[in-house]
């Protein structure tokens, strides 16, 4: 929809902006099912729930969680059933008072102009929705009719409050705002400020800001305890290095969120080759308060091993044009290759860090060049 309006190119999928970036394909083993989908949906099925009555103890949340078709059906049936119920009550009041007898035309009825169940149904609708066409009205002849009028008004107000509140909450759900919070399809691992970092890019397509936005990361993998207990979904927190240096981020333009792979990182002993063998999944959660509504929203995505590009970094997409900063979303997920060691951060630290490794590589390159020159000189002398 946004691509039709020209906000972003057609090459992109707006749901979390899953861009089609051409990357080399690897033949890997069958991966396990991912815990969180790219659009943020949790891939968890709740089965064998015996205490189903717990859902009825919180009826309002249950109604909000239902699908739109089921909610609209319940919305319609709640009003229709209440109208039919009180139509039956008004018909019984008229029948008990004898208002349906044609021979009592001069007697004062409980409700005027009720001659059948159809007229009682119309009067029930007029009372509950306060239409008041003027043809039918209640009189002071029957106390039961006055009591029924009071009860129907109270029941109608309760139904209106519950159903209208449910419709409002469904239309203002936090996940609607999350549709314009986008993540890069791929994450990258590359050097940054002399340290190996895990990075991804996120952005907000709307001009209205996300207040107090925070980013959390977790690594999900199969693990085991020291006692031998197998943890099929072991969740490990990952510390993020926010670009503004605080817990909250200022999400006005797209940002690159990085995680420094150090000794405290669960990715410390993961190399480029390990990404093709292990089943790792990095979950990213963005939380914040919507500026226009004040509702807390949350956007989620995940990156599996196949979606982590080793030795690449994101291209810049913010430029200054005519006194303003322009964001080119056509390059949101584009990456470029940069020289990156394929070893893990642990091995990199054991070898003295990235700077010393580069010195060794440059020295080795100079030595190889000198050998080639000497070989060429020796061959030329022999000739």
């Amino acid at each position: 929809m946004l691509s039709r309006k020209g906000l972003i190119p057609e090459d992109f999928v707006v749901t979390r902006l899953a861009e089609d970036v051409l990357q080399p394909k690897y033949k890997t083993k069958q991966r396990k099912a991912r815990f969180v989908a790219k659009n943020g949906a949790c891939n968890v099925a709740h089965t064998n729930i015996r205490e189903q009555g717990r859902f009825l103890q919180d009826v309002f949340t249950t109604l909000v969680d239902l699908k739109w078709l089921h909610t609209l059906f319940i919305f319609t049936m709640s009003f229709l059933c209440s109208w039919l119920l009180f139509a039956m009550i008004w018909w019984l009041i008229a029948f008990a008072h004898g208002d349906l007898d044609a021979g009592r035309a001069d007697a004062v009825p409980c409700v005027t102009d009720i001659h059948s169940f159809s007229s009682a149904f119309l009067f029930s609708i007029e009372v509950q929705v306060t239409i008041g066409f003027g043809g039918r009205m209640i009189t002071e002849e029957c106390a039961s009719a006055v009591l029924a009028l009071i009860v129907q008004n109270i029941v109608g107000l309760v139904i209106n409050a519950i159903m209208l509140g449910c419709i409002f909450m469904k239309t203002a759900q936090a996940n609607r705002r999350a549709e314009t919070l986008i993540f890069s399809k791929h994450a990258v691992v590359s050097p940054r400020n002399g340290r190996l970092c895990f990075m991804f890019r996120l952005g907000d397509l709307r001009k209205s800001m996300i207040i107090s936005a925070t980013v959390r990361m977790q690594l999900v993998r199969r693990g085991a305890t020291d006692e031998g207990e197998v943890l099929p979904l072991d969740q490990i927190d990952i510390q993020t290095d926010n670009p503004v240096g605080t817990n909250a981020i200022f999400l006005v333009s797209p940002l690159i969120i990085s995680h420094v792979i150090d000794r405290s990182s669960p990715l410390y002993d993961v190399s480029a080759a390990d990404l093709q063998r292990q089943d790792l999944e990095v979950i990213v959660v963005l939380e914040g308060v919507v500026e226009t509504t004040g509702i807390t929203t949350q956007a989620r995505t995940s990156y599996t091993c196949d979606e982590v590009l080793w030795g690449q970094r994101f291209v810049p997409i913010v430029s200054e044009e005519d006194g303003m900063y322009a964001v080119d979303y056509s390059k949101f997920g584009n990456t470029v290759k940069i020289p990156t060691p394929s070893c893990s951060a642990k091995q990199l630290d054991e070898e003295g860090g990235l700077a010393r490794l580069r010195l060794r590589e440059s020295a080795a390159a100079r030595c190889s060049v000198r050998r080639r020159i000497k070989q060429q000189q020796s061959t030329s002398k022999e000739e």
Side-chain angles (χ1 to χ4, degrees):
M1 181 177 178
L2 293 177
S3 60
R4 297 174 189 166
K5 296 182 179 179
L7 296 181
I8 60 175
E10 293 285 351
D11 296 337
F12 297 87
V13 180
V14 178
T15 305
R16 307 297 180 271
L17 205 68
E19 59 282 310
D20 298 329
V21 182
L22 296 178
Q23 300 295 341
K25 304 297 183 181
Y26 298 96
K27 293 183 179 179
T28 59
K29 66 177 183 179
Q30 184 68 27
R31 299 288 187 183
K32 67 175 183 180
R34 62 192 311 155
F35 189 47
V36 177
K38 294 297 291 183
N39 60 357
C42 296
N43 189 21
V44 178
H46 300 278
T47 59
N48 298 327
I49 300 178
R50 298 180 179 180
E51 299 181 1
Q52 298 287 345
R54 291 181 176 270
F55 295 98
L56 298 179
Q57 296 178 3
D58 188 6
V59 179
F60 186 78
T61 305
T62 303
L63 292 176
V64 174
D65 290 340
L66 291 176
K67 297 181 179 179
W68 268 108
L69 182 61
H70 298 162
T71 302
L72 293 177
F73 177 77
I74 295 176
F75 180 85
T76 303
M77 292 304 298
S78 61
F79 284 103
L80 185 59
C81 292
S82 64
W83 293 340
L84 290 173
L85 175 62
F86 283 98
M88 179 63 67
I89 293 175
W90 290 117
W91 184 85
L92 290 175
I93 291 175
F95 178 79
H97 192 257
D99 298 338
L100 302 180
D101 297 338
R104 299 187 55 187
D106 297 335
V108 179
C110 295
V111 180
T112 59
D113 291 338
I114 289 185
H115 308 291
S116 62
F117 182 79
S118 299
S119 58
F121 180 72
L122 292 175
F123 180 72
S124 175
I125 297 175
E126 293 176 15
V127 169
Q128 188 160 331
V129 300
T130 63
I131 295 177
F133 291 116
R136 300 176 183 86
M137 65 184 69
I138 190 172
T139 64
E140 58 184 11
E141 182 70 17
C142 303
S144 58
V146 177
L147 181 61
L149 178 66
I150 296 173
V151 173
Q152 185 172 5
N153 282 326
I154 295 175
V155 172
L157 290 175
V158 172
I159 295 176
N160 287 335
I162 294 176
M163 299 311 303
L164 293 180
C166 177
I167 296 297
F168 172 77
M169 290 301 299
K170 286 187 70 68
T171 55
Q173 279 183 333
N175 55 3
R176 306 301 178 187
R177 179 62 177 88
E179 294 297 330
T180 51
L181 297 173
I182 55 178
F183 299 88
S184 58
K185 182 179 180 181
H186 294 89
V188 298
V189 176
S190 60
R192 200 179 204 192
N193 296 326
R195 304 297 299 272
L196 206 60
C197 297
F198 176 93
M199 294 173 286
F200 64 93
R201 177 175 275 167
L202 62 88
D204 188 2
L205 296 178
R206 292 186 181 273
K207 291 185 178 180
S208 59
M209 294 177 54
I210 299 295
I211 303 173
S212 301
T214 58
V215 177
R216 294 185 292 108
M217 298 174 60
Q218 282 189 341
L219 177 68
V220 178
R221 63 184 177 185
R222 185 183 180 89
T225 61
D226 297 336
E227 294 77 16
E229 180 185 0
V230 177
L231 303 176
L233 295 174
D234 189 13
Q235 302 181 21
I236 306 173
D237 289 334
I238 298 178
Q239 298 296 325
T240 58
D241 183 18
N242 290 337
V244 295
T246 60
N247 292 330
I249 60 175
F250 191 52
L251 194 59
V252 177
S253 62
L255 299 175
I256 297 177
I257 306 299
S258 65
H259 159 66
V260 178
I261 305 177
D262 52 11
R263 296 181 181 274
S264 61
S265 172
L267 302 174
Y268 188 59
D269 55 351
V270 177
S271 63
D274 294 335
L275 286 177
Q276 305 304 321
R277 297 191 300 264
Q278 297 184 8
D279 284 331
L280 303 177
E281 183 176 355
V282 178
I283 299 174
V284 179
V285 180
L286 171 64
E287 292 181 338
V289 179
V290 182
E291 183 181 23
T292 54
T293 61
I295 300 176
T296 302
T297 185
Q298 184 182 94
R300 299 179 297 269
T301 191
S302 68
Y303 299 99
T304 59
C305 295
D306 298 333
E307 297 165 347
V308 178
L309 307 180
W310 194 282
Q312 299 195 29
R313 70 181 177 190
F314 293 104
V315 300
I317 61 174
V318 180
S319 61
E320 187 175 356
E321 299 178 0
D322 299 330
M324 296 182 63
Y325 291 97
V327 180
D328 187 4
Y329 281 100
S330 63
K331 302 177 182 178
F332 186 83
N334 292 2
T335 59
V336 292
K337 291 184 178 181
I338 60 173
T340 304
S342 59
C343 63
S344 63
K346 181 179 180 180
Q347 296 175 352
L348 194 62
D349 290 342
E350 292 175 352
E351 295 179 2
L354 186 60
R356 184 170 296 181
L357 180 63
R358 288 177 177 175
L359 290 175
R360 291 179 181 177
E361 291 178 350
S362 61
R366 286 194 297 267
C367 291
S368 63
V369 171
R370 291 174 183 174
R371 292 194 192 98
R372 291 177 184 176
I373 293 174
K374 289 181 179 180
Q375 290 176 358
Q376 291 176 359
Q377 292 177 352
S378 62
T379 54
S380 62
K381 288 180 179 180
E382 292 176 358
E383 294 177 355

